[in-house]
């Protein structure tokens, strides 16, 4: 991890496309402005992790779906007997 010190009004640039600027520092809170192309998704980490978990859950097959698939594979010619 790269660690940088910046003061209010100072910035860092990432790959010529993303600029992070320290807008203010109030106690333990730092406000950061982000200038990036519209196609770049930007999330707070806790939101990003929540999205990732929701994606994993929605992509996971349900046991009932797996059972139905196994049943179809075992029954020749789609005969449901």
């Amino acid at each position: 991890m790269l660690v940088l010190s910046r003061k209010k009004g100072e910035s860092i640039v990432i790959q010529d496309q993303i600029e992070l600027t320290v807008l203010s520092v109030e106690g333990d809170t730092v406000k950061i402005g982000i200038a990036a192309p519209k196609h770049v998704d930007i999330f707070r980490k806790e939101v990003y992790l929540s999205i990732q978990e929701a994606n994993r859950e929605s992509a996971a097959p349900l046991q009932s779906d797996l059972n139905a698939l196994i049943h179809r594979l075992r029954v020749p010619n789609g005969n449901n007997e």
Side-chain angles (χ1 to χ4, degrees):
M1 174 188 299
L2 173 64
V3 178
L4 301 171
S5 296
R6 300 279 73 202
K7 296 179 183 175
K8 181 180 174 183
E10 295 181 334
S11 300
I12 62 169
V13 176
I14 302 171
Q15 293 188 347
D16 297 326
Q17 296 184 67
I18 301 169
E19 182 176 358
L20 305 173
T21 303
V22 177
L23 301 177
S24 68
V25 180
E26 300 169 6
D28 289 342
T29 302
V30 178
K31 288 188 182 178
I32 299 171
I34 304 169
K38 294 213 180 273
H39 70 275
V40 175
D41 293 329
I42 301 171
F43 301 102
R44 294 186 327 248
K45 186 172 183 178
E46 64 274 14
V47 171
Y48 176 79
L49 294 175
S50 177
I51 291 168
Q52 294 299 309
E53 179 61 25
N55 287 342
R56 276 191 296 278
E57 288 175 4
S58 67
L62 296 174
Q63 188 62 44
S64 59
D65 292 341
L66 291 175
N67 292 341
L69 179 60
I70 290 168
H71 179 72
R72 284 184 181 216
L73 293 173
R74 288 184 180 160
V75 177
N77 299 326
N79 188 354
N80 290 330
E81 295 178 21

